[in-house]
Amino acid sequence: KWSDFDEDPNSISQTVLTECQRLGFNPKFPVSKLRHGSGAAVCAVLNFLCDCTLKKMEFTVKAPVYTMADFIEEAQVDEEAEIGDDIAEEQEVDNVSPYAAYSSTTDHDRTEQESEEKTIQGVVESSVDPAKWALELERVGPMLKLKNSALSSNEWRTHLDQSVKHESLVSDRFKAVRPILINVGTKLQQTVERIAAKESNINKDFEHLGTDFREKQKTLDAIQERYNYLSQSRSELTTELAKKAETVDRVKAKIKERNDKITDTSPLNGISSSLAQLRKEITSMELRIGVVSQTLLQRRAK
């Protein structure tokens, strides 16, 4: 309980997470998740600390060794039932022990593993005080309880028993169903043969139509290929025409601009008006020169 500590719960959670990060822990949850004292975040921190402890102690977990005494006996199956050659072969395959998948060794190596079982079981030794362990378990145990209490460690055994039971039930039911299946298979085979014969007759009757259709299909393919070629050529010619039309438009624009410059009389009008103005100014200047000359002659004559 947080009431047993003098510090703030958020501060304690932050300190724990900081120390874990210093050891190499990469948290993917906020610090507030540790404040509750339970949940996925707390389990992740505990798992990381356990890994660090085992790594520090150089502890290695060896592969489990399974013995035949650890498994339950398989239910008896009626091997004398006459179901057929195929079913007998399936029963021979099913008689293989279903527990072989749980064993990592073969029959040849099982004897050696049984002789080493006591040695392997004596490798793991604990140096933790039982009293401290019980006290810690009493404190942490309620926080680590599974939400689904219906789960059982022997659930796979129940599934195995049900599988054996269902196998026996299917074997018993198959005895009555097998003649029906054989009858249905015979009828289906006869129906397939009749359909094949009818299909062969139809193919013979309509063979000439099929030949005509194939010839027309070839002609259609040739026409379609010719159409695709002409369509591509038309597209290329259309593109080229657009380029030529653009070039013609540019040439027309240049010719029009030049014609406008040639037929423009505004510069000539400007020159004519300038010449008329010059003539007026020359006439006025000559008049003034005459007046000044007359004045000078009169003064000289005096």
Side-chain angles (χ1 to χ4, degrees):
K1 297 180 180 180
W2 291 115
S3 59
D4 298 338
F5 299 93
D6 297 333
E7 299 182 7
D8 182 33
N10 294 326
S11 177
I12 296 174
S13 301
Q14 181 64 40
T15 303
V16 171
L17 189 60
T18 302
E19 293 297 326
C20 291
Q21 289 178 348
R22 189 173 60 83
L23 295 175
F25 181 64
N26 185 18
K28 298 181 179 179
F29 50 83
V31 184
S32 59
K33 293 289 185 180
L34 297 179
R35 188 178 183 279
H36 302 289
S38 61
V42 176
C43 292
V45 173
L46 292 175
N47 184 36
F48 173 74
L49 293 176
C50 291
D51 292 340
C52 292
T53 304
L54 294 176
K55 185 177 180 181
K56 183 69 175 179
M57 295 172 59
E58 297 182 355
F59 178 80
T60 56
V61 180
K62 296 183 177 296
V65 178
Y66 300 98
T67 60
M68 296 304 296
D70 296 334
F71 305 111
I72 61 174
E73 295 183 357
E74 184 181 2
Q76 297 294 330
V77 181
D78 187 10
E79 297 179 354
E80 297 179 357
E82 296 180 358
I83 299 176
D85 296 335
D86 296 338
I87 307 303
E89 292 178 359
E90 293 179 0
Q91 287 182 350
E92 291 178 2
V93 175
D94 293 338
N95 287 333
V96 178
S97 176
Y99 313 108
Y102 297 98
S103 178
S104 59
T105 59
T106 59
D107 294 337
H108 179 71
D109 298 334
R110 188 173 291 107
T111 304
E112 296 180 359
Q113 291 182 352
E114 291 177 355
S115 63
E116 296 177 359
E117 183 177 1
K118 294 182 179 180
T119 305
I120 294 175
Q121 292 179 351
V123 172
V124 181
E125 294 182 358
S126 176
S127 60
V128 182
D129 187 3
K132 293 182 179 180
W133 180 267
L135 181 61
E136 184 69 16
L137 180 61
E138 183 179 358
R139 186 181 69 84
V140 182
M143 302 179 184
L144 301 179
K145 286 183 178 179
L146 294 175
K147 295 182 179 180
N148 188 3
S149 60
L151 294 177
S152 175
S153 59
N154 295 328
E155 185 177 1
W156 67 273
R157 295 179 183 272
T158 304
H159 292 171
L160 185 59
D161 293 338
Q162 291 178 356
S163 300
V164 174
K165 180 180 178 181
H166 293 331
E167 180 185 5
S168 178
L169 182 62
V170 170
S171 300
D172 294 338
R173 295 285 179 86
F174 188 74
K175 296 177 182 179
V177 175
R178 185 172 182 272
I180 299 174
L181 294 177
I182 293 175
N183 187 17
V184 172
T186 303
K187 291 182 179 180
L188 289 176
Q189 183 66 27
Q190 294 175 357
T191 304
V192 170
E193 291 178 356
R194 288 199 300 271
I195 292 174
K198 183 66 69 175
E199 182 180 1
S200 177
N201 293 331
I202 292 173
N203 290 334
K204 291 180 180 179
D205 294 338
F206 295 95
E207 184 176 1
H208 64 285
L209 295 178
T211 304
D212 189 15
F213 173 77
R214 285 190 290 271
E215 291 179 355
K216 291 185 181 298
Q217 186 66 35
K218 290 181 180 179
T219 305
L220 178 61
D221 293 339
I223 295 173
Q224 184 67 32
E225 184 178 358
R226 179 65 177 172
Y227 170 77
N228 295 334
Y229 174 75
L230 293 176
S231 298
Q232 184 177 1
S233 300
R234 184 184 64 82
S235 300
E236 294 176 355
L237 293 174
T238 303
T239 304
E240 186 176 359
L241 177 61
K243 293 180 180 179
K244 296 295 184 182
E246 185 178 359
T247 304
V248 170
D249 292 338
R250 287 199 300 267
V251 172
K252 286 182 179 180
K254 290 182 180 179
I255 293 173
K256 184 178 180 181
E257 183 179 358
R258 290 181 181 178
N259 290 332
D260 292 340
K261 290 181 179 179
I262 292 172
T263 57
D264 189 10
T265 58
S266 57
L268 295 177
N269 295 330
I271 293 172
S272 299
S273 59
S274 299
L275 290 175
Q277 185 67 27
L278 287 174
R279 290 192 186 95
K280 290 180 180 180
E281 291 180 355
I282 291 171
T283 303
S284 177
M285 186 61 69
E286 290 177 350
L287 181 59
R288 291 179 181 179
I289 291 172
V291 172
V292 172
S293 298
Q294 183 64 29
T295 305
L296 289 174
L297 288 175
Q298 289 177 358
R299 286 185 178 182
R300 286 179 182 177
K302 292 178 179 181

